[in-house]
Amino acid sequence: MGVRGLQTFLESHCGAACYSVNMGKVAEEYHKRTGKDPIIIVDGMSCLRKLYGKLNWICGGQWKGYIDHIRHFIKSLEAHGIKLIFFYDGNTQSRKRDTWVHRRLENLKDITTIFNIIKHNKELEHGKQFFLPTGLAAFTPLTIKEVLGCEVYICLDECDTEVAEFAKRKGAMGILGQDSDYLIYNTAHYYFSINHLNIETLDTMVYDRAALARVLHIGIDQLPLLSCLIGNDVIPQERLQLFHKYVMKDAHSHHHHRSHHNRPPPEILIPKMGGFINSQPPMDQLMHQLPQLAKAVFRDENMASMLNEGINMYKLNLDGPNRFLNLPEEEQAHSFMERAQIRHIKAHLGRHLYTILRGEPYESSTTLEDYSSVLPSGALVYRPLRARVYCILQKSAKGGLQRVAEWCMYSGNAMKAPDMVEPEPLPEGTPSLEELWNGTDELKWSTFLDCIHPDLKKTNIRTMPLHLVFPAAILYYMQYSSPKPILKDWEVNAIIAGFLSSVRDSLTQIRAIVLPRIDARAVHIGALFMKGAVNLYFLHAACGTPFERSKTLPIEYWDGKVFHHYYLRAKGGARIEDLCEHNEDILNKFMELKMMVVSATANPAKRGSPSHDRGILCAAVARSATILLRELEGSGSVPNGLR
């Protein structure tokens, strides 16, 4: 989360340590000077916003366009011989939970503003309003690995220390990201800014730690102390207010330069901190005098431990094995937990499975949901599904798994404490994680479908093309998991039409779509659907991958803008054959998907229970089929297979 105000200071007041470069030219000069191929370690989470670019974000994410952006980015750098290695965050560390919660609640204010704009039929301003589409952070590592073939790692916690350490040990040319902590670590020479990167020209800003130290007249090894005295993840700036006031008491007219948060501006504070550090003994001596320093800074010697933690968090482990450089194959694992860790690091499991095995909480951020609407929150909709996954993990988890703590944003949750969720066994028994990972395809498939709903395996879902299994299963769950269906019948039609549309395969056709307006309910539904994809991937990984991971990716079935296009048409009364663009092959597939989902809504009295009255179910399906066929017959568009 970085050093407070340091980036602002560099960019606005310290040109010697923040200047423009061209990454291509830097790479070529680096290769000439060292003879080594340039490697850049990418802090992937920092890059999501830049790489998403100007694509439509409000409707649920545009995956084809997003992947096209990333592919272009990678090729631009590869043209200069640069290899990229991507790192992504794992779980939030417990000491940062309060900050995480605060940011989620702040995000909620942004979401409320966005939905107010939509409901008043006002236009969202690009650049002023933006929110990451649901699922973008979860699926990007897997997409870059599976679709684009890059080297990708997921860390156990936040990735900044792992990135800094890996870059140093790998001899990387630089790091690409946007976290001022990378200035403090003694890591790769170049720290490139993703926020300032022009992907077309490869021009960006570089932050120079050696130049920063020179400007402040301190040693590079004193930068961790600078971070602590400014305010960082370990030592909040609020704890330093009295110290800052004392150090700045003689600053010329400092009273007139205070920010609206009553914090000293960085262009005054940071040089003052440099002067204070310059008056201290060298770091090897100072580390033995932390109680005295704590007394001077906090007026409390007991704060020495916090100073020690804040300084040492920048210490890199450059000796001994490194879990990323020396990552073994699964077959070489000495225990099942080590095997799970290997899968996690290789980006096969997503963020949450291994962290829950370690006894850590599940977390779900604020998403583009209208928290004031009658539609449910995705975090709650998919909680029963997660509870069944927790039961799979139960026997393998560290210390057993009695209940799982969940930090989830949903309507009415102030997140003062986590929700505690009990694992839910499957009606016919729950296999363990080991049994699934070592088991047959039949066991994996059966468990995957049972966790969604036991009746799902009685449908034809396993005969569908694999790229339609995820979206079909999500739709089934959305209509079957609650006391009543979440979606209206015509909304189901819109979503299915979006899966099947050939428009989704063409960037040119997607770009040509002009949405006459944004519908608030459709935005919420898009977020709900993609939240379902994230939760189903969690289940898919726990079940030992019943089918190829590549078929679970949103690029296979989803484009938010295309969905919104069909949603508005369906809401306006478009018939099924219109949504299927009068294409017989699409109509056949539409009927197959719709009939499967229709079976989910057939018996509302016992929804969610596996013990349905099959006679009632069949009768309801028959009635729904008759309605569908009548609609199609009315337009003369009945597919040949149904005549």
Side-chain angles (χ1 to χ4, degrees):
M1 296 174 187
V3 185
R4 204 157 196 170
L6 183 56
Q7 182 177 310
T8 301
F9 170 71
L10 288 167
E11 293 181 357
S12 302
H13 305 283
C14 192
C18 179
Y19 43 87
S20 297
V21 297
N22 181 275
M23 292 176 71
K25 290 180 180 176
V26 170
E28 289 162 10
E29 291 166 4
Y30 172 86
H31 181 68
K32 286 179 185 176
R33 187 174 70 253
T34 66
K36 297 195 304 183
D37 293 331
I39 297 172
I40 292 178
I41 313 303
V42 181
D43 180 339
M45 296 299 284
S46 296
C47 299
L48 294 175
R49 173 69 183 92
K50 169 64 74 170
L51 295 178
Y52 194 76
K54 296 182 179 180
L55 295 167
N56 178 297
W57 52 270
I58 190 67
C59 297
Q62 293 197 262
W63 281 88
K64 192 171 188 66
Y66 178 47
I67 292 172
D68 186 63
H69 285 183
I70 300 172
R71 183 182 286 114
H72 176 65
F73 163 69
I74 293 168
K75 285 185 175 179
S76 295
L77 290 163
E78 285 179 344
H80 294 275
I82 299 170
K83 178 182 178 180
L84 300 177
I85 301 176
F86 292 82
F87 276 71
Y88 289 87
D89 290 341
N91 222 26
T92 302
Q93 294 166 286
S94 57
R95 64 180 170 83
K96 297 184 180 181
R97 181 59 62 191
D98 287 347
T99 302
W100 184 90
V101 168
H102 174 75
R103 290 189 176 184
R104 304 293 81 75
L105 295 173
E106 288 296 307
N107 290 157
L108 185 57
K109 296 176 185 176
D110 297 334
I111 295 293
T112 301
T113 299
I114 288 167
F115 274 96
N116 283 338
I117 291 170
I118 295 170
K119 289 174 183 178
H120 287 88
N121 294 316
K122 294 180 181 177
E123 202 164 316
L124 293 162
E125 296 180 45
H126 184 80
K128 185 175 181 182
Q129 282 95 25
F130 179 83
F131 205 84
L132 281 182
T134 304
L136 200 80
F139 281 108
T140 295
L142 186 62
T143 299
I144 290 177
K145 184 184 182 75
E146 295 282 338
V147 178
L148 302 177
C150 293
E151 195 172 335
V152 177
Y153 299 108
I154 294 184
C155 299
L156 305 187
D157 302 304
E158 290 184 355
C159 73
D160 49 359
T161 300
E162 303 284 15
V163 165
E165 197 171 288
F166 186 88
K168 188 75 169 179
R169 295 181 65 153
K170 188 80 173 175
M173 179 182 81
I175 291 169
L176 177 64
Q178 203 67 46
D179 184 336
S180 50
D181 280 333
Y182 292 127
L183 264 167
I184 308 300
Y185 291 107
N186 188 11
T187 180
H189 178 68
Y190 292 103
Y191 164 33
F192 300 104
S193 166
I194 183 65
N195 284 1
H196 293 285
L197 177 64
N198 182 319
I199 294 176
E200 298 300 322
T201 65
L202 298 185
D203 291 331
T204 189
M205 304 294 288
V206 72
Y207 303 109
D208 189 329
R209 74 179 59 82
L212 173 64
R214 285 195 302 272
V215 167
L216 297 177
H217 306 290
I218 63 175
I220 287 179
D221 66 336
Q222 292 175 307
L223 289 173
L225 177 59
L226 175 72
S227 169
C228 291
L229 297 183
I230 296 171
N232 58 24
D233 294 345
V234 173
I235 304 177
Q237 203 169 62
E238 291 71 22
R239 301 292 295 268
L240 294 158
Q241 283 181 348
L242 288 176
F243 174 63
H244 289 170
K245 186 176 181 181
Y246 169 76
V247 171
M248 294 182 60
K249 66 179 186 291
D250 60 342
H252 178 64
S253 301
H254 76 272
H255 177 75
H256 301 292
H257 293 283
R258 288 193 170 277
S259 73
H260 66 284
H261 291 297
N262 200 35
R263 296 190 191 105
E267 66 271 21
I268 298 175
L269 174 66
I270 292 174
K272 282 288 183 181
M273 291 301 103
F276 176 84
I277 292 168
N278 202 24
S279 69
Q280 301 299 308
M283 286 303 294
D284 56 349
Q285 295 179 33
L286 188 65
M287 292 304 290
H288 298 289
Q289 301 173 20
L290 290 183
Q292 296 94 307
L293 180 62
K295 188 171 183 179
V297 173
F298 303 105
R299 302 179 185 179
D300 182 358
E301 290 186 359
N302 293 323
M303 292 292 289
S305 59
M306 184 177 280
L307 274 174
N308 187 62
E309 182 185 355
I311 292 168
N312 282 327
M313 77 172 179
Y314 294 106
K315 187 176 180 180
L316 301 180
N317 177 15
L318 302 178
D319 301 314
N322 177 277
R323 64 170 63 98
F324 301 99
L325 285 169
N326 309 110
L327 188 63
E329 296 300 319
E330 270 190 62
E331 299 75 26
Q332 299 171 292
H334 299 296
S335 66
F336 185 78
M337 280 295 283
E338 186 181 352
R339 184 182 173 192
Q341 184 185 93
I342 292 168
R343 285 197 183 188
H344 172 88
I345 291 171
K346 287 185 173 181
H348 292 169
L349 301 181
R351 283 181 59 198
H352 296 298
L353 193 150
Y354 180 67
T355 56
I356 290 167
L357 284 179
R358 291 203 300 168
E360 296 175 11
Y362 177 89
E363 59 187 39
S364 176
S365 288
T366 317
T367 57
L368 275 165
E369 298 176 357
D370 181 3
Y371 292 97
S372 66
S373 80
V374 296
L375 281 169
S377 295
L380 295 181
V381 168
Y382 299 103
R383 178 168 283 172
L385 175 67
R386 293 195 299 276
R388 294 190 275 276
V389 178
Y390 298 155
C391 197
I392 291 172
L393 306 184
Q394 199 165 30
K395 295 175 186 175
S396 308
K398 182 180 178 182
L401 194 68
Q402 302 308 313
R403 294 191 300 170
V404 175
E406 289 196 344
W407 289 96
C408 295
M409 173 56 76
Y410 55 84
S411 182
N413 184 18
M415 293 204 289
K416 300 289 186 186
D419 297 330
M420 302 306 296
V421 179
E422 292 195 14
E424 180 187 324
L426 296 174
E428 297 177 11
T430 307
S432 68
L433 198 62
E434 292 97 320
E435 289 168 339
L436 283 164
W437 286 12
N438 297 327
T440 63
D441 287 344
E442 183 58 38
L443 177 64
K444 294 174 182 180
W445 262 105
S446 177
T447 306
F448 175 72
L449 298 177
D450 277 346
C451 283
I452 298 165
H453 195 282
D455 275 351
L456 185 55
K457 63 185 177 186
K458 297 167 186 172
T459 70
N460 63 340
I461 192 167
R462 287 187 65 175
T463 66
M464 289 182 177
L466 287 178
H467 73 281
L468 292 179
V469 170
F470 247 48
I474 295 165
L475 263 183
Y476 194 97
Y477 185 91
M478 289 176 77
Q479 296 300 85
Y480 215 5
S481 62
S482 304
K484 62 180 182 179
I486 292 173
L487 304 175
K488 299 170 185 177
D489 185 70
W490 61 267
E491 291 174 330
V492 173
N493 293 346
I495 290 183
I496 294 175
F499 299 157
L500 300 178
S501 175
S502 60
V503 172
R504 220 176 27 79
D505 298 325
S506 167
L507 277 175
T508 302
Q509 291 185 61
I510 293 171
R511 288 168 184 151
I513 293 173
V514 177
L515 299 173
R517 67 184 184 281
I518 301 298
D519 187 287
R521 182 176 167 91
V523 172
H524 192 139
I525 289 171
L528 271 178
F529 182 85
M530 283 306 301
K531 182 67 77 174
V534 172
N535 280 266
L536 245 67
Y537 188 78
F538 180 40
L539 167 63
H540 186 265
C543 290
T545 317
F547 51 94
E548 302 99 285
R549 282 186 296 273
S550 62
K551 300 300 180 184
T552 69
L553 299 176
I555 183 65
E556 294 284 339
Y557 50 81
W558 181 258
D559 182 282
K561 187 180 178 185
V562 172
F563 158 65
H564 215 91
H565 167 71
Y566 284 106
Y567 186 94
L568 294 177
R569 287 175 62 184
K571 189 175 184 178
R575 299 170 70 87
I576 289 172
E577 70 274 11
D578 297 324
L579 297 176
C580 293
E581 311 299 349
H582 301 274
N583 181 303
E584 187 169 307
D585 182 51
I586 293 176
L587 272 169
N588 278 314
K589 291 174 182 174
F590 181 100
M591 288 293 291
E592 184 181 7
L593 273 165
K594 184 66 184 285
M595 292 306 299
M596 193 201 80
V597 177
V598 160
S599 71
T601 61
N603 187 12
K606 295 185 179 181
R607 193 173 312 282
S609 166
S611 55
H612 288 168
D613 181 329
R614 305 309 296 176
I616 294 174
L617 180 62
C618 291
V621 172
R623 284 195 300 273
S624 298
T626 302
I627 293 168
L628 279 170
L629 287 170
R630 281 177 182 165
E631 181 180 334
L632 294 171
E633 284 171 350
S635 61
S637 301
V638 182
N640 285 332
L642 297 172
R643 291 184 190 279

